[in-house]
Each structure stands twice: as C-alpha cells, then as structure tokens.
Amino acid sequence: MKPTRDIQTVSEFKQNASKLVKQVQKTRQPIILTVNGKPAVVLQDVETFQALSSRLEYDLTIAAINEALLEWDNSEHWSTHDEVFAELYERNGIE
C-alpha cells in the first residue's frame, strides 16, 4: 500500500471518482477514503471483495465444523435414532 496513492479524502474521490475506480481495478489495491482525516470507508475491486468474502465464508464454515466436532468429542451422551424420533413424535403429538 502506498499512502500517497491509496489513502484519499472523500473530497478527492468526488473530484476524481472515475480515475480512482480505474486505479483500484488496475492495481487491485484498495483505496481508503478519509473523512476529517480519519479512515471512513474502503474502495475495493469486486474480484478481490468476492475472493475475500468466499474465504471468510469458508473459514467460518470450518470453524463451525471444528466446534461441532469438539462438542461431539466432549459429549457424554448422544441420543440414538430411536430416542430422537420418540422425542420428536412426543413434542408434535404424533403416535
């Protein structure tokens, strides 16, 4: 990241939006837009955003699977098929 290129004010973005969008698409480097000298938003190309979103979704799925496996390993009692269906039938008034 090059601060003089990749950090811009919202005012600068308003004046040069097309140029800055093309820059992001070409370099695939995000631009941080500031308001009153503080970071406010990030402008990012779609492909990079989609890749990061997919990676995050994958990581969250793996974390959920690992958590479920850990719970499975630490469980003292797991219901049998018959126990699960008996409970479902009872809850829903099915004979």
Side-chain angles (χ1 to χ4, degrees):
M1 176 176 271
K2 296 180 180 177
T4 57
R5 181 192 70 192
D6 298 334
I7 299 175
Q8 302 289 332
T9 65
V10 170
S11 299
E12 177 72 21
F13 179 74
K14 287 178 185 178
Q15 294 172 4
N16 299 299
S18 180
K19 175 185 148 217
L20 293 172
V21 167
K22 287 177 186 175
Q23 173 188 314
V24 169
Q25 290 172 328
K26 180 181 176 185
T27 65
R28 298 183 69 117
Q29 292 294 315
I31 292 178
I32 298 170
L33 300 179
T34 63
V35 175
N36 298 324
K38 295 180 182 179
V41 297
V42 175
L43 179 65
Q44 185 175 46
D45 67 285
V46 173
E47 292 83 13
T48 302
F49 174 79
Q50 287 175 332
L52 288 171
S53 294
S54 294
R55 180 61 196 199
L56 176 60
E57 185 176 340
Y58 173 82
D59 290 347
L60 291 173
T61 300
I62 295 299
I65 291 169
N66 285 332
E67 184 177 332
L69 289 171
L70 184 60
E71 286 179 25
W72 176 283
D73 287 344
N74 292 330
S75 177
E76 293 182 17
H77 173 74
W78 281 90
S79 300
T80 66
H81 172 272
D82 290 334
E83 291 171 332
V84 169
F85 278 94
E87 184 179 333
L88 287 172
Y89 288 155
E90 184 179 324
R91 274 195 219 162
N92 294 293
I94 300 171
E95 294 183 24

